[in-house]
Amino acid sequence: MLRSSSGGGSAHGFLNCRQIAKLEATLSNVVSIQPKVGRLRGGGGGGGSPINFQLRNFLQILRQRLSLKGVNLDGIFLHGSCASSVLSSAQKVTFNDIDIAFRIVGGNDMTLFNIRQILLQCISEFIPSNSAHLHSSSLEDIYFAKMVKIQDHRDCWSLISLNSNDGPNLDLKFIQRIKRDYEFSVDSFQISLDNLLSVQDILNENIPQVRVRSSYGDLHEAMSHLEGKLICTMSPEQIRGGGLLKYVYLLLSDFKVAPALDQDLLERYMCARFFIDFPEDDSQSHVITNFVHTHFMARDSLRRRLFLHLFEEIVLTKATCLIEYDRSCAKRVLQYLLVMLCSENC
């Protein structure tokens, strides 16, 4: 079990030895960043070659480059499904992305732009010699699966996803401020990487303490949800529209809504927010397609189909915010995606 840093109900704790070993294995893994399918591969010099690096080495270099450029960090954290897999008692838990969060201290309107340039310089150091001629704008086009920037009075952060065609993407999130950084208790864990990034081999050095916190607020309750495969959250009306996709994915993965939650109300909130954040057919199609591509292999057409059918069922029964015309449009989008996404490997 996790060791709590204080009494019951604390959001903070420490990893045990088994969890540290799983985290160490994750940091020691070689990550392969690959060109997006259909993007530039030639250019006369083998442009678009895979980039391979050990995750620990890459994060150490990026942390050093950020420091040299005056970007102050409050910590580097593993979060999302990869953090959940480290904490879970199960021997092997699959995850779709390696999510790394960089908490930035201070900064200004140019900070996130400058960080992107630093990241590109860092990536260029790992590029094979036959691709060294690539310009930074080409690197973005070839290797960035996704770029998101949110900047308003509550949130200021950016997400850059480095593409992998046959494994988890590496998602790097740079946060100046964020109102909510989780959707459900089972993805609310943030594991501090700072101590492990400061050592090279924990077998030959003292095992450092590794802190973990749950943004859900109660670490041990969140852990019980993870082990019991329960869906639970706080203030569901604050969950962004993409939370509906994650919710359907959890249901498909045999998670159940916790008894304390009103499932009907939860689904109505999330449907309403989905169509607020993605009001147009194109935006709905885009976000669903991206989610399916990052969570299901092309050959897994059955699970893609089950996911889209379940998503459609919830939308058509719980999206009471939609007028009949919008409901028909949403159904048409989902029917199109069923055909397109479930036939990609045919």
Side-chain angles (χ1 to χ4, degrees):
M1 290 292 290
L2 286 166
R3 292 183 291 117
S4 176
S5 61
S6 61
S10 172
H12 300 267
F14 297 95
L15 268 59
N16 60 35
C17 290
R18 178 186 59 81
Q19 293 163 335
I20 291 176
K22 290 172 74 175
L23 179 58
E24 171 66 16
T26 299
L27 290 174
S28 299
N29 280 344
V30 173
V31 176
S32 181
I33 303 304
Q34 298 158 341
K36 290 180 289 186
V37 174
R39 293 296 185 178
L40 175 66
R41 289 184 177 272
S49 300
I51 301 173
N52 301 309
F53 49 74
Q54 185 196 57
L55 182 58
R56 168 187 272 109
N57 188 27
F58 177 78
L59 294 177
Q60 287 172 331
I61 291 175
L62 181 54
R63 179 173 67 172
Q64 181 186 53
R65 296 292 184 273
L66 291 169
S67 177
L68 288 173
K69 294 294 186 179
V71 179
N72 298 316
L73 297 177
D74 190 33
I76 302 176
F77 302 87
L78 179 70
H79 66 114
S81 58
C82 188
S84 298
S85 75
V86 167
L87 297 173
S88 172
S89 61
Q91 282 296 105
K92 187 173 180 60
V93 179
T94 59
F95 51 88
N96 304 104
D97 304 300
I98 302 172
D99 297 292
I100 308 292
F102 298 76
R103 294 273 180 174
I104 301 165
V105 178
N108 53 43
D109 291 344
M110 290 297 294
T111 298
L112 295 180
F113 173 80
N114 293 335
I115 286 174
R116 191 178 77 202
Q117 301 307 116
I118 296 168
L119 175 61
L120 287 168
Q121 293 169 8
C122 188
I123 291 172
S124 68
E125 296 185 25
F126 292 92
I127 292 178
S129 58
N130 65 340
S131 301
H133 65 285
L134 293 174
H135 189 270
S136 60
S137 60
S138 297
L139 293 180
E140 289 186 20
D141 186 53
I142 296 170
Y143 296 110
F144 285 13
K146 177 172 61 176
M147 286 192 294
V148 177
K149 182 179 178 182
I150 303 294
Q151 191 165 5
D152 56 34
H153 67 285
R154 297 180 304 177
D155 296 285
C156 185
W157 54 266
S158 68
L159 170 69
I160 297 175
S161 179
L162 302 182
N163 186 69
S164 179
N165 297 325
D166 53 10
N169 287 355
L170 177 58
D171 286 358
L172 306 172
K173 196 169 190 176
F174 302 94
I175 303 169
Q176 288 181 269
R177 60 181 182 272
I178 189 167
K179 182 177 181 181
R180 184 181 179 117
D181 56 7
Y182 80 103
E183 292 160 337
F184 306 100
S185 59
V186 294
D187 64 15
S188 68
F189 306 108
Q190 298 182 29
I191 301 173
S192 174
L193 299 179
D194 295 292
N195 286 345
L196 277 184
L197 291 178
S198 298
V199 299
Q200 289 297 333
D201 185 358
I202 64 172
L203 295 178
N204 297 319
E205 302 183 44
N206 292 328
I207 298 177
Q209 283 193 331
V210 179
R211 288 182 172 272
V212 58
R213 70 179 294 270
S214 168
S215 299
Y216 174 74
D218 187 323
L219 177 61
H220 285 276
E221 185 176 327
M223 279 297 301
S224 72
H225 296 158
L226 177 63
E227 301 293 4
K229 304 193 77 169
L230 294 176
I231 299 171
C232 196
T233 191
M234 299 284 190
S235 305
E237 68 278 1
Q238 296 178 1
I239 299 176
R240 290 184 177 273
L244 178 60
L245 296 164
K246 179 65 176 289
Y247 171 76
V248 175
Y249 182 79
L250 289 175
L251 291 177
L252 191 65
S253 303
D254 298 323
F255 280 73
K256 307 293 183 185
V257 176
L261 275 188
D262 183 331
Q263 183 171 358
D264 181 74
L265 185 61
L266 174 66
E267 291 176 353
R268 289 175 187 272
Y269 271 135
M270 290 192 296
C271 284
R273 185 59 190 262
F274 179 83
F275 288 103
I276 289 172
D277 288 355
F278 310 107
E280 305 297 332
D281 293 3
D282 287 348
S283 61
Q284 294 163 20
S285 178
H286 179 73
V287 71
I288 296 171
T289 298
N290 278 349
F291 188 91
V292 169
H293 280 157
T294 56
H295 287 76
F296 304 95
M297 300 296 287
R299 62 178 177 268
D300 199 358
S301 59
L302 176 59
R303 278 179 58 80
R304 286 186 174 196
R305 186 175 298 277
L306 291 172
F307 172 82
L308 291 168
H309 275 307
L310 182 55
F311 185 86
E312 180 182 30
E313 177 186 337
I314 292 173
V315 165
L316 295 183
T317 57
K318 300 300 171 65
T320 54
C321 57
L322 297 180
I323 61 173
E324 191 57 38
Y325 173 78
D326 290 333
R327 192 185 309 274
S328 297
C329 289
K331 185 174 183 177
R332 187 170 62 249
V333 167
L334 289 167
Q335 291 297 323
Y336 166 74
L337 292 177
L338 267 168
V339 174
M340 182 187 73
L341 294 174
C342 296
S343 61
E344 286 185 335
N345 202 39
C346 297

